[in-house]
Every structure is written in C-alpha cells, then in structure tokens.
Amino acid sequence: MNNCRLASTNFSEAHLARASFVGTEFMKPTSFKKATFDFGAPFDYSTFAEEVAFDDAKFNGRAGFARVKFLDHADFDRVHFSSSFDLESSFFHTGISCESAKFDKRGRLALNKTQFGGYAWFEDVEISAASAETKGARVRIDVPDDAKRDRIWLLGWSVREPETPDNGKISNREGIWGYLDSEPLPD
C-alpha cells in the first residue's frame, strides 16, 4: 500500500506477512492494535493526519517510521520490537506514548533528528542490550508546564536548552526547541 491515500483504516488484530506503507497518507484515525508484522513493516515518509494506535502490536523485523509526520496522537503502548524501532527525522506534532514497550536483545530505538512538538511518554520501556540513539533529536520547550511535567523519558535521557534563542528555532516550526540527549545504555 505504498504511496496510497487512505481514509479510516483498521488493521486491528491483522496478521501481515509482508506489509509496506511507504509514503502513505492516513487521513482518518488508524488502528494497528494487536497487529503482527512477520517481517517488520516500513511506514517511512508517511503521514498520519489523525490519531494512530499500534497498542500491543508485534514487529518481527524493522518497524520503519523514518521521516513520518504524526499530526495527532501516536500510541505505541506495549509494542514488542524484535529489531529496530526507527523514528529518525520524524515529527510528532501532538504527542507519542510508548509505555511498556519491549525490545529484544538486538532491538534499537533510533530517534536521531526526531522532533517532539507535544508530549512524549516513554515509561517502563524494556530495552535489554539495545541502543537508543537521540543525536539531533529536538524537543519543543516553550510548552505549558503541565506538558513538560507529563514528559517521561528513559533513564539517562534529558532535555538540554539551546545556548541562544536563535539556536532554539527550527525552520518551518513554531516555538523554541531544545535538544534530547541520552547516555549510551549498558549491554
């Protein structure tokens, strides 16, 4: 389903042997709850215009979400990743929840150059012998105090404010943006 434009989409509990959604526009609420992706699934360069739910999904290969625009809430709660969860250069306008996600031994969480415009919730995420990459990841910092308080990062992650207000600007984005830093995780 590459480069498609889809209205309301429901793949809940689907078993997808080979799936690809590269460049797809999901125009209405989308559900992949409890879906199984046998060989992973690329969603790279896609747009989710409204909320999307991957709760309890299982990716038995790369979960590819590089350069994806999430314009509403994105739910990845209790997702099992056997390989990489690639969110490089993606944009979260409203927020992401990734509570109780689990990564296998070869799992990798890639957030390089990702932008978090709203809340980000990474609570009780289990990463064993995995790496988490945040190089160039940006976080909007001029948000209400309750939004800042609701952000929960993995152990060792922190938000660093820009050195000057000009360093806190991103082309085509409103607000002041800081940097998401992470320490390497132990094996």
Side-chain angles (χ1 to χ4, degrees):
M1 300 189 90
N2 295 336
N3 300 308
C4 290
R5 191 168 193 198
L6 303 173
S8 188
T9 309
N10 186 348
F11 284 96
S12 294
E13 299 185 35
H15 188 120
L16 303 163
R18 299 216 183 264
S20 182
F21 297 92
V22 175
T24 298
E25 290 183 60
F26 296 89
M27 305 309 294
K28 297 287 182 184
T30 302
S31 178
F32 286 93
K33 290 181 180 181
K34 297 183 180 180
T36 300
F37 299 90
D38 282 346
F39 296 97
F43 287 85
D44 306 311
Y45 299 96
S46 293
T47 299
F48 291 93
E50 294 190 19
E51 64 184 283
V52 57
F54 284 90
D55 300 324
D56 300 296
K58 185 172 184 177
F59 287 89
N60 295 319
R62 178 181 173 264
F65 292 89
R67 293 172 181 76
V68 172
K69 293 178 188 169
F70 295 93
L71 303 178
D72 203 335
H73 177 71
D75 241 335
F76 290 93
D77 293 339
R78 298 169 309 281
V79 175
H80 181 223
F81 299 100
S82 69
S83 184
S84 66
F85 182 25
D86 185 357
L87 294 168
E88 292 192 33
S89 300
S90 289
F91 173 65
F92 292 91
H93 185 293
T94 302
I96 178 176
S97 175
C98 193
E99 187 175 345
S100 300
K102 180 181 178 188
F103 289 78
D104 284 354
K105 288 181 182 176
R106 66 179 196 264
R108 178 179 73 96
L109 175 59
L111 297 173
N112 299 328
K113 297 183 182 177
T114 299
Q115 298 173 0
F116 297 96
Y119 62 87
W121 194 273
F122 289 84
E123 184 176 21
D124 291 327
V125 174
E126 183 181 325
I127 302 179
S128 55
S131 62
E133 302 169 6
T134 61
K135 184 178 181 181
R138 303 291 297 265
V139 177
R140 187 165 177 185
I141 59 175
D142 62 337
V143 295
D145 286 338
D146 60 334
K148 286 182 188 176
R149 187 177 54 250
D150 287 344
R151 288 179 168 156
I152 296 179
W153 302 110
L154 293 172
L155 185 64
W157 290 16
S158 61
V159 176
R160 179 174 36 96
E161 296 207 11
E163 295 173 12
T164 67
D166 284 343
N167 289 348
K169 299 208 182 291
I170 296 178
S171 176
N172 300 320
R173 299 271 188 254
E174 293 180 10
I176 305 296
W177 294 74
Y179 300 88
L180 181 61
D181 293 327
S182 69
E183 297 175 11
L185 296 172
D187 287 339

